[in-house]
Amino acid sequence: MDDTADSVETARARPRPLRRNRLDDELRLFRDRLTHGTTHKPEFEYELLTMFARNETSAPFAMPALCFIFYIASMFWASFMEATMWIAIVSISRVYMLDQCRRLLSIPRADVNVGQWRRHFIRIETINGLALAAFALIGISMAPPAHSVPATFSSHVFIFATLMVVLAIRMTFSSTLPHVFLAGTVPMTLAVTGRLFMLGDPFYFALASMAVGIHVFFVYLAQGLHSTALAMVEYRAEKDSLISELEEASAISDEARRRAEAANKAKSRFLATMSHELRTPLNAIMGFSEVMEKEILGPIGSDVYREYARNIYVSGNHLLCIINEILDLSRIEAGRYDLHEETIRLTDIAEDCERLIKIKADAKTLQIVEDFAPDLPHVWADPRAMRQICLNLLSNALKFTPRGGRITLTVGHTSDGGQFITIADTGPGIPNEEIPRVLQAFGQGSLAHETAEGGTGLGLPIVQNLITLHGGTFDLQSELRKGTEVTVTLPRQRVLQIITPLQPLGQERHRDPAPRPARQPRMRPASPYGTAAPYRVSGGA
């Protein structure tokens, strides 16, 4: 009762379209089974039918050759006429069976009625079974002479052995169709059993009982082989279904990717167009509002108007920053952000960015702590990108750190020879489950969103993409209510080292021992990195 209630609840909870599709499939399958007269799926029955036909045609001379051996052996206890008629009937039935199997394999699958062909093969195999059963009956009317008892015993044992061989062969060939196997073997088993029982000897009674038991055993084996063949066909159908589903999913994903690429191109064109259309009036708005705020062309006459002009300038500047961030992220995602690399010092970049936010930090009474490693070598990087990375991280720390907090700016070298910049704050922190969302475009943490000054959520994605373009790594560690620490690392291949001279200056080799006037040491050509001695990338890169 409980199971019924559960099934009813499950059926009610299942969406109507899903239930309707499932009922349609079951109804279609039931209709196919009734039409074809099968207990399995029609496609499985067709596969089993064709497997039987292929088994028969794969060895067309095996059964006729075996029957010819039986024909030669039957000459010892049967007349020539009976044996010849038997071999003729068996040969005709076998040829007809092979012909029908080849005909089935030549017909298109859509034109095959599985039920009719299965019944047709059962009828043909029944004729074959009756023909084989006649082997046990030929010569039965001939009374053997008294001195031929050993020959008679040998003939009966040979007939019993013949039954075993026929059962084994027919089980191998027709195990995919159990009814065909029964139609081809039951008549011969009955004939052999009847002949042995007619002899009235206990030994032959035991032999007849053994024949029945062996036939039952072969039927059991045939059922097992049929189950194995059916499982193999089902697994193959499932494999084909999975392959078709994978191909369909692949086609759908290719189409979705094509549409996404087209949408991305359209987005890039739209942003490129809108950037020009928005920046032009923004420049005018910001310029005129700044002129009005500073009263360059004359006094405004009202402090309220001056405050309005200041608000217009600040809002326009904020909108311009948002547009620039969106365009930068779009160029990075589209693969159109080109790095203009040169030799720079990360400490210089960090100091410049710290000076830019110093005024805002003092307004919030924030303490900025600098921790720079001494004598850091130059790195090969894009100064604008590195400045944007450092400024974005410092701006985030400035926005999310409460008054009286502390921001730590660290620049140093890693254990493998690279260099890193770390910005740590004492802000509200980010829950671990929200970190993936924060690293997505326009994503912000819940607690930070409530306490921060506002933002677009593009700073960290831009930082992550820019450092990836440099071949570096991005790492964000945060603990709720304690703060956040972000580290960007440049690989060792971007750190430059000074090439030492091959020999000390003033100690050059001379070709002749004669003294020559001292000459001025020749300096190497100026490095494209702006230093007297050339640099090389550590690690040979």
Side-chain angles (χ1 to χ4, degrees), residues 167 170-172 174-178 181-182 215-229:
L167 287 175
R170 296 315 299 160
M171 181 195 68
T172 304
S174 59
S175 60
T176 57
L177 299 178
F181 170 71
L182 294 175
H215 188 273
V216 173
F217 176 72
F218 274 108
V219 170
Y220 176 77
L221 289 181
Q223 290 291 339
L225 292 177
H226 175 264
S227 301
T228 303

Side-chain angles (χ1 to χ4, degrees), residues 282 285-286 311-321 323:
L282 272 179
I285 292 172
M286 294 173 62
N311 292 337
I312 293 172
Y313 177 80
V314 172
S315 299
N317 188 30
H318 178 67
L319 181 59
L320 183 61
C321 292
I323 293 174

Side-chain angles (χ1 to χ4, degrees), residues 153-196:
F153 175 79
S154 300
S155 65
H156 293 145
V157 174
F158 185 82
I159 291 174
F160 178 80
T162 300
L163 174 63
M164 302 300 102
V165 174
V166 171
L167 287 175
I169 293 178
R170 296 315 299 160
M171 181 195 68
T172 304
F173 280 82
S174 59
S175 60
T176 57
L177 299 178
H179 294 87
V180 174
F181 170 71
L182 294 175
T185 56
V186 169
M188 186 171 183
T189 301
L190 294 177
V192 173
T193 304
R195 178 164 183 168
L196 294 176

